[in-house]
Amino acid sequence: MAELSPRTDTSTDGDTEDKAMGFHSSHSHGPVVSDASDKSRDQKTLRRLAQNREAARKSRLRKKAYVQQLESSRMKLTQLEQELQRARQQGIFISSSGEQSQTMSGNGALVFDVEYGRWLEDHNRRINELKGAVSNHAGDGELRIIVDSVVAHYEDIFRIKADAAKADVFHVLSGMWKTPAERCFLWLGGFRSSEILKLLITQLEPLTEQQLLAIGNLQQSSQQAEDALSQGMEALQQSLAETIAGSLGSSNSSGNVANYMGQMAMAMGKLGTLEGFIRQADNLRQQTLQQMHRILTTRQSARALIAINDYSSRLRALSSLWLARPRE
């Protein structure tokens, strides 16, 4: 009877249910607090990891950019060495750089050779005109016009050479635009003023004492200027050799690549002064011609210009004979 009582069943179920709810309630607060703390720690850890990954990524990018820069510089140096080798073998420079500002670097030698050929053709025409005027005993006025034209024409080649030196100083300095015999007497991309004056003294006799004194002084000053430029070139070569020698072996070690590149940059800067030597040497040659023109009479100037041209023509003819000689 007691087992069938509704009151007994309700009381028992309620107590059990209350106890169960109380049990769950008493154990629910601990895990909730723990989970919140863990989530906070996890978020901080994730942020740190994300920051570390971003820093590592940026570091890799910087390292990659630095390596690419070094590789690019190394390739440019290799290209320069190849161009120098081709210049020795072929007498021209072919630049592999695609930059617009360096276009003349690749074609400068060829452009200069063409312009020099045109200048030489025009020069020969003017000299022939001068020879004809001298042979026909033209008047001083007519002869002076032709002489002034030839002297002014020399100024054109100095201007052409100055432009060519900016594009390819090695081509002008090496004299590859000259014949082999002419290159034997080449000095800083042209003739020695002092040697030309020695030649003219024997070709222009008789000269007055005043003219002899003026030409002697001009020859002495030209020789001093040539010696100063030659010494400057020797000093440049010595400094360049020391700079290059300081980088020997550095390129084989990755740790010394930056030092190697720095020394190569210094060497490149020193090579940049070559253009100045060419310009100063041509200025000396130009001033010598102008001074000679002022010292001599019109007819003497005509004979001097013809003698200079004939001397160069014979050197070119000698080169042709040498190249055409029989070979066993």
Side-chain angles (χ1 to χ4, degrees):
M1 295 288 296
E3 294 178 1
L4 298 176
S5 171
R7 183 178 179 181
T8 304
D9 294 339
T10 301
S11 173
T12 302
D13 292 341
D15 293 341
T16 304
E17 197 171 316
D18 292 340
K19 291 178 181 179
M21 291 178 64
F23 174 80
H24 289 299
S25 177
S26 63
H27 288 79
S28 61
H29 297 288
V32 169
V33 175
S34 178
D35 289 344
S37 178
D38 290 342
K39 288 180 179 179
S40 177
R41 285 195 297 270
D42 290 344
Q43 289 176 354
K44 291 181 179 179
T45 301
L46 291 173
R47 282 197 298 270
R48 282 198 301 270
L49 290 174
Q51 292 172 353
N52 291 340
R53 283 194 297 268
E54 180 65 17
R57 185 183 69 84
K58 291 181 178 179
S59 178
R60 287 193 299 271
L61 289 176
R62 287 193 298 269
K63 182 178 180 180
K64 183 178 180 181
Y66 178 69
V67 172
Q68 289 176 343
Q69 182 181 4
L70 291 179
E71 180 65 17
S72 176
S73 299
R74 186 190 66 80
M75 291 177 64
K76 288 182 179 179
L77 284 175
T78 301
Q79 290 170 359
L80 286 173
E81 292 174 356
Q82 292 173 350
E83 289 175 2
L84 287 172
Q85 182 64 25
R86 283 197 294 267
R88 285 191 290 267
Q89 294 175 351
Q90 302 175 10
I92 60 174
F93 280 78
I94 303 175
S95 175
S96 56
S97 173
E99 297 181 9
Q100 184 66 25
S101 61
Q102 296 180 351
T103 300
M104 280 296 293
S105 226
N107 300 324
L110 297 177
V111 171
F112 172 67
D113 288 352
V114 171
E115 290 186 344
Y116 174 72
R118 292 173 180 170
W119 179 89
L120 187 59
E121 182 179 355
D122 191 19
H123 180 71
N124 289 333
R125 181 185 61 77
R126 294 170 187 265
I127 290 295
N128 289 334
E129 182 183 3
L130 182 60
K131 288 181 177 180
V134 172
S135 299
N136 295 329
H137 304 285
D140 287 349
E142 179 184 353
L143 196 59
R144 178 176 294 278
I145 293 174
I146 302 175
V147 168
D148 290 343
S149 172
V150 174
V151 173
H153 193 237
Y154 269 108
E155 296 178 0
D156 290 341
I157 192 58
F158 294 137
R159 175 185 54 78
I160 293 172
K161 284 174 63 180
D163 293 339
K166 293 178 182 178
D168 193 345
V169 67
F170 287 108
H171 186 69
V172 177
L173 185 64
S174 66
M176 297 305 296
W177 42 286
K178 291 282 192 179
T179 59
E182 287 178 293
R183 289 200 295 269
C184 287
F185 299 92
L186 206 66
W187 173 78
L188 289 178
F191 59 84
R192 283 182 177 268
S193 300
S194 59
E195 295 298 325
I196 292 296
L197 291 172
K198 287 180 183 179
L199 169 69
L200 293 179
I201 289 178
T202 61
Q203 297 294 319
L204 298 179
E205 296 177 348
L207 293 168
T208 66
E209 292 185 4
Q210 185 178 0
Q211 286 177 324
L212 285 172
L213 179 61
I215 292 177
N217 291 335
L218 181 59
Q219 181 181 351
Q220 182 178 4
S221 62
S222 297
Q223 183 69 61
Q224 291 173 348
E226 289 168 3
D227 291 344
L229 286 173
S230 296
Q231 292 172 5
M233 276 293 294
E234 291 177 2
L236 173 62
Q237 292 172 346
Q238 180 64 30
S239 176
L240 187 60
E242 292 174 355
T243 301
I244 296 296
S247 64
L248 292 178
S250 298
S251 59
N252 297 327
S253 173
S254 59
N256 293 325
V257 170
N259 183 47
Y260 167 76
M261 296 303 300
Q263 289 172 322
M264 288 296 98
M266 290 177 59
M268 290 288 289
K270 292 178 180 180
L271 284 179
T273 62
L274 286 175
E275 182 185 339
F277 281 97
I278 295 292
R279 183 174 60 254
Q280 292 180 66
D282 275 349
N283 286 340
L284 175 61
R285 286 183 271 263
Q286 186 175 7
Q287 291 171 9
T288 300
L289 286 173
Q290 293 172 347
Q291 289 286 343
M292 180 196 71
H293 185 36
R294 283 192 283 267
I295 293 171
L296 302 176
T297 66
T298 300
R299 295 195 178 275
Q300 288 173 334
S301 294
R303 289 165 53 194
L305 293 171
I306 292 173
I308 294 173
N309 178 78
D310 289 348
Y311 179 72
S312 299
S313 296
R314 291 186 180 186
L315 286 177
R316 290 192 292 270
L318 178 61
S319 294
S320 298
L321 291 172
W322 173 257
L323 295 174
R325 73 191 188 281
R327 303 179 185 180
E328 297 180 357

